[in-house]
Amino acid sequence: MTSSQEIFDSLIIGAGPAGLSAALHLGFQRRKVVVVDRRSSPMYFYTNPVNNYPGVKPNCSGVQILKKIQGEVSEYGIPIQSGNVISIQGKCPDFEVEVLPKRRTAPPTMFKAKTLVFATGTARMHPCVKGDWRRWLRYAGKQNISFYCPECESPLTTGKDIIVVNTGTVNSALYIANRVKPFAKRIRIFMTEDSYMPFKEEDKDILDRSRFEWTSGLIERIEAATPGENQRLITTTEQVFECNHFFVAWVAIPRSELAVKMGVEVDQKGNIITDHRGKTNVEGVWAAGDIRPITQSVAMAVGTGNYAGVMIDHFLRKLD
Ligand SMILES: Cc1cc2nc3c(=O)[nH]c(=O)nc-3n(C[C@H](O)[C@H](O)[C@H](O)COP(=O)(O)OP(=O)(O)OC[C@H]3O[C@@H](n4cnc5c(N)ncnc54)[C@H](O)[C@@H]3O)c2cc1C
């Protein structure tokens, strides 16, 4: 184990838009900050243009927005450390945070910080292809082949033939189908039988009673062609389903295990509970972005991250 000699004013877990926005404000206030990230923000992989974040239209993707904010954060000399936070000890203002570097051969590093921000987001359950969700990643959020966000992307299905590929509960499939209904030309639901949430017998009745065509099965392969045209989903029984886009109905699992271990309060789903400023029940600990029970969007992540940064700066003034 190596130890960083510095004591940081704040250590931010997660370099998605929430964590980076908190870092940006604190850096501007000349605070000593480190951001740690294991690089699984959806912003790293989605290349569809973002339509609902101000000032970036017409063709700025998630990854481009993230790179811009990373550049601004780096201008304040804030390190964005690649690694996985695996444990947190101590209490405010003496937190000790253990980080396992991305390079497995390197030893863990211990960081000391006065305050913490959980900007850890949520894990999304992708559909499995041949039993492995990693095989779906090449289609996730890529060039309008598959959509994920009903709030951000439903209108992009206008006049299109959509297959809702479900990895969550039957209710999440129906929610997406209903959100897309005012726009799409045709909607079918494909219930994956190897998904995170088991597909139950009673789900069939619910789907039969719904106004949507549906089927279930296991995905053998995807033939994703031109974005927006002729996507093909082929099942293990060689059934072929063609559409313009897939819309994934997923389960979100908040990444709050570490917070829970230190006594941070979460709701039934595991989202971190805070006051409206992002302050948790544990002294010196804030949360921002998707990890809070709020609409999952870049704008909300940036807003809550900024607010957490402002409040931490105020809090640190009392410790200075
Ligand atoms: C395909 C897709 C398309 C989307 N399109 C849009 C859109 O068009 N418009 C829009 O507004 N929103 C969109 N969203 C939602 C948006 O991407 C999220 O709301 C936003 O990224 C949330 O930001 P965040 O910073 O809270 O969390 P995240 O972006 O999820 O970042 C959290 C980071 O924390 C890191 N982390 C977690 N735990 C640890 C740990 N223990 N140690 C180290 N690092 C850790 C993760 O690796 C991750 O990088 C989309 C999402 C998806 C999946």
Side-chain angles (χ1 to χ4, degrees), residues 14 17-18 37-38 40-42 46 52 83-85 119 152 289-290 296-298:
D37 190 274
R38 63 181 182 216
S40 56
S41 169
Y46 77 79
N52 60 342
N84 192 15
V85 173
C152 328
D290 282 6
Q296 299 197 347
S297 73
V298 180

Side-chain angles (χ1 to χ4, degrees), residues 13-20 36-46 48-53 66 83-86 119-122 124 126 140-142 146-149 152-153 250 255 257-258 288-291 295-301:
I13 313 170
L20 290 176
V36 183
D37 190 274
R38 63 181 182 216
R39 294 177 69 89
S40 56
S41 169
M43 304 285 285
Y44 286 113
F45 67 75
Y46 77 79
N48 292 344
V50 174
N51 293 290
N52 60 342
Y53 185 69
L66 199 66
N84 192 15
V85 173
I86 51 170
T120 42
T122 56
R124 290 171 175 80
H126 303 278
K142 290 283 180 325
S146 70
F147 296 125
Y148 273 65
C149 174
C152 328
E153 297 178 314
W250 36 269
R255 298 188 185 112
E257 328 79 66
L258 282 171
D290 282 6
I291 190 65
T295 298
Q296 299 197 347
S297 73
V298 180
M300 289 298 278

